[in-house]
Amino acid sequence: MLSYSTVVMVELNRYYRSPQTLCCSTQQPNHSNNNHILSNTNPPPPLITMPTGELRHSSPPITANNSSSTAAAYDDDAWVWAQIKAEARRDAESEPALASYLYSTILSHSSLERSISFHLGNKLCSSTLLSTLLYDLFLNAFTSDPSLRSAAIADLRAARERDPACISFSHCLLNYKGFLACQAQRVAHRLWQQSRQPLALALHSRIADVFAVDIHPAARIGKGVLFDHATGVVVGETAVIGNNVSILHHVTLGGTGKVGGDRHPKIEDGVLIGAGATILGNVKIGEGAKIGAGSVVLIDVPPRTTAVGNPARLVGGKEKPSKHEDVPGESMDHTSFMSEWSDYII
């Protein structure tokens, strides 16, 4: 039987000998230090050897009992994965210095969950927490819980659609630490629910160290969530984040002191939270609400309203607050309330 490293080398050689790769490589600029990367005679090995777990896990099949909506969702997921691989091939051909990296992280994998598991395992590993262990941990979670995959797809779409700086799905998958931290936290949350708290907390610590994003493993996060930039985000143990929520950097969803129990904010669907906002206590941010950058929120915010300032106040007043029709978590509209709220003029 061939060793796994031999299998990797065979697949790598096959990719770089493919007609498409060879044809495209002849049209690229002459990078004198990188020509060997696209050579069909001496292909390079991946940056790191893939763990043996790649051979042991398989994606859950679609059964005859699945609904048509499930099948449609699977087709959509497959399209996103195909797009990611196409983008990675394009980038490998246009920038040979990245070819080996892109092969190791995306092109060598047969599914999105394998790619994410491999990438997270290598991002979060340490000298004592091995990448192979993390790879198996993530892949087992993704393959046994299809909702993790669908949530990842929704998050990828959220970043691509809402963030003008996101140039491709593969860019988000590889480089957006908010996206990566969110996927890793969902696995930590699954471990927490399985009463594997020590491992969940160890993973939580690595996520905070590597990505500068501190989300407690007990916190619940919906789908289609965008952590834009993500640096300095803190989410407490009993916090809940709904679907299609967008949260910018340095946002805190925290408690108010030493009291235990249910003590953190509940963010409903479609909410937008601006950079540097702080929301404290077991308060509810209603569906489609908007929290302005730098605001400090200590009480409930009604649906479809905007809260700004320190302490936060509702635009339009407490009795008859102004309401908007759009979903700010998706529209990313941060400033349309300004004319109603402030007479600040430059």
Side-chain angles (χ1 to χ4, degrees), residues 237-238 254-264 279-282 298:
E237 178 182 8
T238 60
T256 57
K258 295 171 64 177
V259 178
D262 194 357
R263 61 196 184 279
H264 295 104
I279 306 173
L280 300 178
N282 186 17
L298 302 174

Side-chain angles (χ1 to χ4, degrees), residues 123-143:
K123 283 281 190 180
L124 297 174
C125 68
S126 67
S127 58
T128 54
L129 196 60
L130 301 182
S131 61
T132 50
L133 182 150
L134 291 175
Y135 175 84
D136 279 338
L137 177 68
F138 287 122
L139 190 55
N140 274 313
F142 275 102
T143 54

Side-chain angles (χ1 to χ4, degrees), residues 106-173:
I106 294 177
L107 294 172
S108 63
H109 299 281
S110 59
S111 65
L112 177 62
E113 53 265 40
R114 293 178 187 274
S115 177
I116 292 177
S117 299
F118 178 75
H119 193 41
L120 284 176
N122 283 279
K123 283 281 190 180
L124 297 174
C125 68
S126 67
S127 58
T128 54
L129 196 60
L130 301 182
S131 61
T132 50
L133 182 150
L134 291 175
Y135 175 84
D136 279 338
L137 177 68
F138 287 122
L139 190 55
N140 274 313
F142 275 102
T143 54
S144 59
D145 187 352
S147 68
L148 294 179
R149 175 192 170 95
S150 62
I153 293 288
D155 294 351
L156 285 167
R157 285 192 171 279
R160 188 74 179 94
E161 293 168 3
R162 299 176 208 167
D163 184 1
C166 185
I167 61 175
S168 65
F169 289 113
S170 61
H171 172 50
C172 177
L173 171 63

Side-chain angles (χ1 to χ4, degrees), residues 157-201:
R157 285 192 171 279
R160 188 74 179 94
E161 293 168 3
R162 299 176 208 167
D163 184 1
C166 185
I167 61 175
S168 65
F169 289 113
S170 61
H171 172 50
C172 177
L173 171 63
L174 294 177
N175 303 319
Y176 270 39
K177 65 181 183 179
F179 169 79
L180 293 170
C182 187
Q183 310 321 306
Q185 190 278 342
R186 288 198 180 102
V187 174
H189 179 70
R190 188 171 182 273
L191 294 171
W192 189 270
Q193 290 180 314
Q194 296 171 340
S195 298
R196 301 172 70 184
Q197 282 88 350
L199 183 55
L201 290 170

Side-chain angles (χ1 to χ4, degrees), residues 210-253:
V210 173
F211 298 125
V213 178
D214 191 335
I215 308 176
H216 194 281
R220 290 180 286 159
I221 301 178
K223 299 180 179 180
V225 174
L226 171 62
F227 288 102
D228 195 356
H229 298 287
T231 299
V233 167
V234 177
V235 179
E237 178 182 8
T238 60
V240 178
I241 299 173
N243 300 320
N244 303 315
V245 171
S246 293
I247 298 176
L248 274 80
H249 51 286
H250 290 292
V251 165
T252 298
L253 306 181

Side-chain angles (χ1 to χ4, degrees), residues 33-53:
N33 294 329
N34 297 316
N35 286 342
H36 68 282
I37 295 181
L38 291 180
S39 170
N40 65 329
T41 58
N42 186 27
L47 294 179
I48 41 184
T49 302
M50 272 178 285
T52 55

Side-chain angles (χ1 to χ4, degrees), residues 283-303:
V283 300
K284 180 185 293 186
I285 308 302
E287 180 179 359
K290 184 189 306 183
I291 309 299
S295 300
V296 178
V297 180
L298 302 174
I299 59 175
D300 292 354
V301 175

